[in-house]
Amino acid sequence: MKTGIITTDTYLNHNTGQGHPERADRVTVVINHLKKIKSKKLIWKKPKKFDLKYLEYAHDKNYLNNITDSFPKHGLNFLDGDTIVSPGSKEATKDAVGSILTAIDGVMKKDFRNAFCAVRPPGHHAEKKKAMGFCVYNNVAVGAYYLLEKYNLSKVAIIDFDVHHGNGTQDIFYNNEKVLYISSHQYPYYPGSGAANEKGIKDNVLNIPLISGTKSHEFLNAYDSIFSKLKEFKPEFILLSAGFDAHKDDPLAQINLESKDYYILTQRIMKLAKELCDEKIVSILEGGYDLNALKESIDYHIKSLSE
Ligand SMILES: [Zn+2]
């Protein structure tokens, strides 16, 4: 079975302003590269439109109304110091959410084995009531609720290997024992949360803080405790908040992964998913701001997903 690549071109119209690190080129280099390699193991799909009620599981209704009103007719609107929306963001933000739901449907219907969503804006900093850190809707959180509500699953795990802590995802699921949220991240660092003692009300959050300068083997060793926690939890589905900004060349953080480490990491997650949840994995792009590092790292990530 193949790997689904879920993407569409509406991300091009999510304009964050000149010089912003979360820019359209990030997704363009990835898509161009994946098209160029012409792998027969990939199936390309566009995100479908979806019932907006799924946004309401992850976000407060007033917040959603405010966001709907925030998309400007012209120019840019700042939701916070670094979270910016433009006219085209309305469609791009919906398609980012739609991509993970389309990916989940495809995996559940066995149209493909697993999937990667090449989309922007990212989502893991968006809290129940707050846009933050380039994120508007929490894509992965809506995906997890979709699995719980549409497919009646009772155990979903989210592994967030973006270099920043996914404060938004943690906020949304802190009290929800059906979702295990696991994050490895540089700490102390933006956004400030993610200490090891933040464990969720039902011990359903596992934070692995890593100091600035952490090297490949230290990062990968840290995943041993993540994998034991996952085995204990026995998820029925694994979602990946796939940020590639722990790469040594990334300008936004100071963790020193090599591109090929994303192959090793993904392979280890795949092995576990085979054991635990019939290989059901959907991965969605979060951060990653050096274009070449991002392209190489995602190439390795997808190589492993499609093996
Ligand atoms: Zn990040």
Side-chain angles (χ1 to χ4, degrees):
M1 273 221 286
K2 301 189 182 190
T3 291
I5 302 293
I6 323 299
T7 192
T8 181
D9 54 8
T10 55
Y11 75 87
L12 289 166
N13 302 324
H14 170 55
N15 178 9
T16 48
Q18 204 159 25
H20 197 290
E22 202 294 283
R23 60 209 190 272
D25 285 354
R26 299 177 57 241
V27 172
T28 303
V29 291
V30 170
I31 294 176
N32 287 348
H33 175 71
L34 292 175
K35 283 192 173 147
K36 208 172 84 189
I37 59 173
K38 291 195 174 115
S39 169
K40 292 199 170 72
K41 294 175 180 169
L42 306 182
I43 299 186
W44 293 75
K45 294 266 179 211
K46 286 198 156 112
K48 288 180 288 199
K49 299 278 176 253
F50 60 95
D51 189 334
L52 296 180
K53 76 175 184 194
Y54 291 109
L55 291 175
E56 291 176 24
Y57 289 108
H59 294 287
D60 177 79
K61 214 166 177 181
N62 285 329
Y63 172 75
L64 291 172
N65 291 337
N66 290 340
I67 291 299
T68 303
D69 295 341
S70 76
F71 300 115
K73 287 231 161 41
H74 315 278
L76 304 177
N77 188 18
F78 283 66
L79 304 181
D80 82 354
D82 52 24
T83 312
I84 299 156
V85 288
S86 65
S89 305
K90 187 176 182 177
E91 210 184 350
T93 53
K94 295 271 181 4
D95 278 345
V97 174
S99 73
I100 194 165
L101 308 189
T102 303
I104 288 169
D105 286 338
V107 169
M108 293 307 265
K109 286 191 289 186
K110 300 195 189 299
D111 292 341
F112 33 80
R113 178 165 61 141
N114 51 34
F116 178 74
C117 305
V119 291
R120 60 185 284 276
H124 73 152
H125 293 305
E127 298 185 349
K128 205 169 175 58
K129 303 180 183 182
K130 192 167 154 198
M132 205 176 138
F134 321 155
C135 303
V136 180
Y137 301 127
N138 193 313
N139 309 318
V140 81
V142 182
Y145 272 116
Y146 190 66
L147 285 164
L148 301 179
E149 300 301 326
K150 183 174 179 199
Y151 290 102
N152 287 313
L153 299 196
S154 49
K155 282 181 177 194
V156 176
I158 301 171
I159 306 175
D160 183 337
F161 57 78
D162 186 280
V163 81
H164 303 97
H165 181 240
N167 59 292
T169 316
Q170 172 169 302
D171 170 62
I172 291 165
F173 294 115
Y174 209 72
N175 302 321
N176 190 337
E177 64 199 311
K178 292 181 176 176
V179 176
L180 171 64
Y181 175 65
I182 298 176
S183 173
S184 61
H185 46 269
Q186 184 170 331
Y187 185 89
Y189 202 50
Y190 182 88
S193 54
N197 65 4
E198 296 163 25
K199 293 183 168 188
I201 298 294
K202 305 278 184 179
D203 206 25
N204 59 310
V205 170
L206 174 62
N207 283 309
I208 307 287
L210 301 166
I211 54 166
S212 165
T214 294
K215 294 190 185 67
S216 294
H217 68 279
E218 296 162 324
F219 182 97
L220 292 169
N221 286 344
Y223 269 75
D224 290 345
S225 60
I226 291 179
F227 293 139
S228 2
K229 181 81 179 175
L230 269 173
K231 281 186 189 168
E232 219 174 273
F233 181 73
K234 299 186 180 72
E236 299 163 279
F237 205 110
I238 296 175
L239 299 173
L240 303 180
S241 258
F244 298 88
D245 41 9
H247 193 283
K248 64 178 175 32
D249 295 338
D250 196 277
L252 261 59
Q254 294 78 39
I255 301 290
N256 295 311
L257 295 193
E258 311 273 343
S259 302
K260 67 174 181 348
D261 293 325
Y262 290 101
Y263 179 82
I264 301 167
L265 176 63
T266 311
Q267 208 180 29
R268 290 178 69 187
I269 294 171
M270 292 273 289
K271 190 165 166 254
L272 209 71
K274 201 167 192 173
E275 224 176 283
L276 296 172
C277 58
D278 197 22
E279 301 189 286
K280 293 205 250 332
I281 297 179
V282 164
S283 174
I284 185 163
L285 179 61
E286 299 282 1
Y289 304 97
D290 179 85
L291 296 183
N292 192 54
L294 183 64
K295 183 187 81 180
E296 277 185 19
S297 304
I298 292 182
D299 182 66
Y300 277 119
H301 180 54
I302 289 175
K303 225 174 237 159
S304 178
L305 282 177
S306 61
E307 240 166 34

